[in-house]
């Protein structure tokens, strides 16, 4: 009998402990005393303190974690509904860009330095992608959890909102499908990673006596000197895509902003990569020409590359700007 | 009735009861009572509440300032007694009149509904 009593007492101790350990220190003693009193009352009501009675009573009270959560009543989500949609969207973009960027960076790494075996290569490839994506996931989640905590999930609620501020429902042809700016952001992040982490990608690879020789497309000295400006130019593009994602439809102000950013990008591109920039490796064709036995006229073609590229960039930016302005103006009329 | 619909019914019933339970608890705490006495009283009155729900609720109402509590240690076992505070009485009075209004309105609406039945 006393043995049985000790056992049931132990069961109650274990239950109470599992409840209070989940509660704030300051409330533990009080809740524990009250909870023990309750269990005692419930046992008396059943008219027994046998093991089966204790088990029935504890079952009725429910799982310790559930009971504790009813006591604490605290918020039980890391990221609340206010930010959840934005969080998911940003998470997807960041994971896609990181995973893809890391895959390409690894592939380039293997070209630069051949791994010992295919198994090592595969293992290293997936390990690097996995750990980069875990990091990306963690950082995005941490940032959003902090926003949630700092704003108390309520800084939007505290502001009075005016129904007049609601933007009009976008017309079919003024709405920007989310996929466009997202694809743009992924591409730009990728470009940013590659141009900073693996500029050697931009060049020609020549197999020479069983080993790869790289002929750079850019003059390394000039390229590294102006790399910060190149990054600024790419980030201007990133800002443009972010604006399109956030605004979500073509408006006149957005169209004007897009046009202004396109002008900045185009001017910077002409200065940094235009025919007069000096960033292109002038000996590119002659360096690979010896290997591929190209004629002299082929070497002349190399000088056309910056001109053609500049033309394409100007054309692309003009088309993008005109399209944005037409759509923005159409929205104005509507 | 299918399993799914029964589940919906149960959760709707719980929602209906949730607000009413606070009203019932306050009504009983015009004098000090301890938790398990409330459990038994509510059950006898046809308004059963799980102890695992009631005890945390009592603490929440105390934190919100509607109840006061005191440990009674002179009896055979120590018990925490709850009673309505001044603010609690005020809130109870207002809730009671809300309840009466709501009841009248619901009765009115459901009676109208009955008339539409073929």
């Amino acid at each position: 009998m006393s043995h049985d009593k000790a056992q049931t007492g132990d069961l109650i101790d274990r239950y109470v402990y599992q409840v209070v350990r989940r509660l704030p220190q300051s409330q533990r003693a009080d809740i524990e005393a009250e909870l023990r009193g309750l269990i005692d009352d419930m046992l008396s009501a059943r008219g027994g303190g046998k093991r089966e009675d204790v088990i029935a009573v504890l079952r009725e009270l429910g799982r310790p974690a559930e009971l504790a959560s009813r006591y604490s009543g605290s918020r039980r989500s890391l990221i609340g509904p206010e930010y959840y949609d934005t969080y998911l969207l940003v998470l997807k973009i960041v994971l896609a860009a990181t995973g893809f960027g890391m895959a390409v960076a690894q592939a380039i790494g293997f070209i630069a330095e051949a791994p010992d075996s295919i198994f090592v290569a595969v293992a290293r490839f997936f390990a690097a992608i996995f750990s980069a994506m875990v990091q990306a996931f963690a950082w995005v989640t941490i940032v959003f959890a902090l926003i949630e905590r700092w704003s108390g999930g309520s800084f939007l609620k505290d502001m009075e909102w005016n129904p007049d501020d609601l933007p009009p429902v976008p017309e079919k042809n003024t709405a920007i499908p989310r996929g466009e700016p997202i694809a743009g952001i992924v591409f730009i992040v990728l470009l940013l990673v590659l141009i900073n982490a693996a500029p050697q990608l931009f060049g020609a690879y020549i197999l020479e006596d069983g080993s790869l020789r790289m002929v750079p497309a850019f003059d390394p000295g000039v390229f590294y000197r102006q790399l910060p400006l190149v990054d600024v130019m790419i980030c201007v593009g990133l800002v443009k895509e972010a604006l399109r994602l956030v605004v979500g439809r073509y408006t006149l102000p957005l169209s004007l902003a897009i046009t202004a950013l396109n002008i900045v990008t185009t001017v910077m591109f002409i200065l940094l990569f235009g025919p007069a920039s000096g960033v292109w490796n002038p000996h590119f064709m002659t360096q690979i020409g010896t290997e591929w036995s190209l004629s002299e006229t082929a070497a002349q073609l190399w000088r056309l590359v910056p001109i053609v590229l500049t033309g394409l960039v100007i054309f692309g930016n003009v088309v993008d700007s005109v399209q944005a302005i037409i759509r923005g103006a159409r929205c104005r009329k509507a | 009735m299918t399993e799914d619909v029964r589940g919906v019914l149960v959760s709707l019933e719980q929602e209906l009861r949730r607000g009413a339970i606070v009203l019932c608890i306050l009504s009983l705490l015009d004098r000090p009572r301890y938790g398990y006495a409330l459990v038994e009283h509510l059950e006898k009155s046809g308004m059963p509440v799980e102890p695992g729900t009631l005890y945390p609720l009592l603490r929440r109402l105390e934190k919100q300032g509607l109840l006061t509590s005191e440990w009674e240690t002179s009896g055979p076992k120590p018990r925490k007694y709850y009673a309505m505070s001044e603010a609690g009485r005020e809130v109870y009075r207002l809730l009671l009149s809300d309840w009466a209004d709501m009841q009248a309105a619901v009765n009115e609406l459901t009676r109208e509904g009955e008339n539409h039945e073929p």
Side-chain angles (χ1 to χ4, degrees):
Chain A
M1 180 63 203
S2 68
H3 177 68
D4 194 40
K5 186 140 190 149
Q7 255 193 351
T8 59
D10 178 53
L11 215 50
I12 294 170
D13 288 344
R14 278 154 58 194
Y15 183 83
V16 171
Y17 174 75
Q18 285 299 324
V19 175
V20 298
R21 82 181 174 87
R22 294 176 160 89
L23 298 171
Q25 187 75 50
S26 57
Q27 300 172 20
R28 279 185 196 166
D30 200 61
I31 290 179
E32 170 162 1
E34 201 179 11
L35 194 52
R36 285 183 182 280
L38 169 63
I39 293 169
D40 207 41
D41 283 337
M42 287 169 84
L43 285 172
S44 317
R46 293 178 66 90
K50 285 206 275 296
R51 202 179 137 75
E52 306 90 76
D53 296 315
V54 172
I55 285 177
V57 162
L58 297 185
R59 279 240 174 85
E60 197 185 332
L61 283 175
R63 287 175 194 280
E66 267 170 48
L67 185 57
S69 80
R70 272 187 231 137
Y71 268 113
S72 60
S74 64
R75 138 172 57 221
R76 300 183 44 81
S77 67
L78 190 62
I79 294 157
E82 193 96 38
Y83 300 109
Y84 189 67
D85 290 333
T86 320
Y87 165 70
L88 273 191
L89 179 66
V90 172
L91 188 64
K92 280 181 203 157
I93 296 173
V94 170
L95 282 183
T98 309
F100 197 49
M102 205 59 201
V104 175
Q106 282 292 304
I108 292 163
F110 293 153
I111 294 168
E113 189 188 351
D116 301 336
S117 75
I118 186 76
F119 298 110
V120 174
V122 169
R124 230 165 62 184
F125 183 76
F126 285 108
I129 292 174
F130 180 73
S131 77
M133 286 178 76
V134 168
Q135 283 238 4
F137 180 85
W139 281 112
V140 172
T141 307
I142 287 168
V143 166
F144 271 85
L146 287 177
I147 291 173
E148 176 80 35
R149 290 295 165 282
W150 283 336
S151 67
S154 68
F155 92 108
L156 284 174
K157 278 175 227 144
D158 288 345
M159 284 195 299
E160 237 186 286
W161 74 282
N162 188 348
D164 282 333
D165 294 342
L166 288 170
V169 176
E171 302 234 343
K172 244 198 186 120
N173 41 17
T174 59
I176 305 173
R178 273 183 159 187
E180 279 179 23
I182 289 173
I185 289 171
V186 170
F187 174 75
I188 291 168
V189 168
L190 196 64
L191 192 64
L192 206 57
V193 169
L194 289 184
I195 215 155
N196 284 281
Q200 67 269 27
L201 175 72
F202 303 94
Y205 295 87
I206 296 156
L207 199 62
E208 215 175 46
D209 309 328
S211 72
L212 274 176
R213 187 167 72 87
M214 211 278 291
V215 178
F218 301 120
D219 182 312
V222 181
F223 179 82
Y224 281 109
R225 202 163 56 238
Q226 66 180 31
L227 186 58
L229 282 175
V230 174
D231 287 341
V232 170
M233 180 183 80
I234 296 173
C235 285
V236 169
L238 206 56
V239 169
K240 188 180 85 174
E241 296 302 332
L243 276 178
R244 298 210 299 165
L245 183 66
V246 171
V247 178
R249 70 200 183 88
Y250 287 102
T251 64
L252 209 51
L254 177 69
S255 305
L256 295 178
I258 286 176
T259 306
L261 293 174
N262 281 342
I263 290 170
V264 172
T265 311
T266 310
V267 169
M268 287 188 84
F269 186 85
I270 292 171
L271 293 176
L272 294 169
F273 293 99
S277 63
V279 73
W280 300 93
N281 179 5
H283 312 298
F284 184 72
M285 274 301 174
T286 37
Q287 279 172 2
I288 64 170
T290 52
E291 300 300 323
W292 291 355
S293 49
L294 292 166
S295 67
E296 274 303 305
T297 45
Q300 301 288 326
L301 283 176
W302 178 243
R303 245 170 281 156
L304 285 177
V305 168
I307 298 170
V308 171
L309 267 182
T310 306
L312 283 175
V313 166
I314 293 174
F315 179 73
N317 278 299
V318 167
V319 167
D320 190 49
S321 304
V322 168
Q323 214 171 27
I325 288 176
I326 289 173
R327 286 176 172 171
R330 192 183 287 153
C331 161
R332 193 66 179 280
K333 266 182 256 155
Chain B
M1 196 183 285
T2 65
E3 255 332 276
D4 289 352
V5 176
R6 189 169 298 280
V8 172
L9 176 67
V10 166
S11 85
L12 285 176
E13 279 172 349
Q14 279 173 349
E15 251 173 78
L16 263 184
R17 282 164 47 89
R18 198 163 296 148
I21 284 168
V22 173
L23 204 59
C24 297
I25 291 171
L26 289 177
S27 79
L28 289 174
L29 291 179
D30 61 334
R31 62 185 185 79
R33 291 177 202 267
Y34 64 94
Y36 199 69
L38 279 174
V39 171
E40 288 182 315
H41 206 306
L42 287 166
E43 180 150 22
K44 243 183 286 165
S45 314
M47 195 71 187
V49 183
E50 300 266 318
T53 305
L54 180 79
Y55 274 62
L57 182 55
L58 287 172
R59 289 189 78 88
R60 201 189 81 207
L61 294 173
E62 186 190 3
K63 205 172 149 198
Q64 289 169 338
L66 302 188
L67 301 180
T68 56
S69 73
E70 209 173 323
W71 278 97
E72 176 63 60
T73 46
S74 56
K77 43 186 172 184
R79 277 176 174 144
K80 198 177 185 183
Y81 278 77
Y82 293 89
M84 269 194 285
S85 65
E86 269 314 305
R89 282 174 202 283
E90 173 84 12
V91 166
Y92 174 60
R93 207 167 47 75
L94 293 170
L95 278 181
L96 209 55
S97 93
D98 283 348
W99 176 259
D101 291 349
M102 214 187 301
Q103 205 174 16
V106 171
N107 284 345
E108 184 63 30
L109 284 167
T110 48
R111 209 172 302 125
E112 273 172 33
E114 271 167 30
N115 293 341
H116 292 307
E117 302 263 320

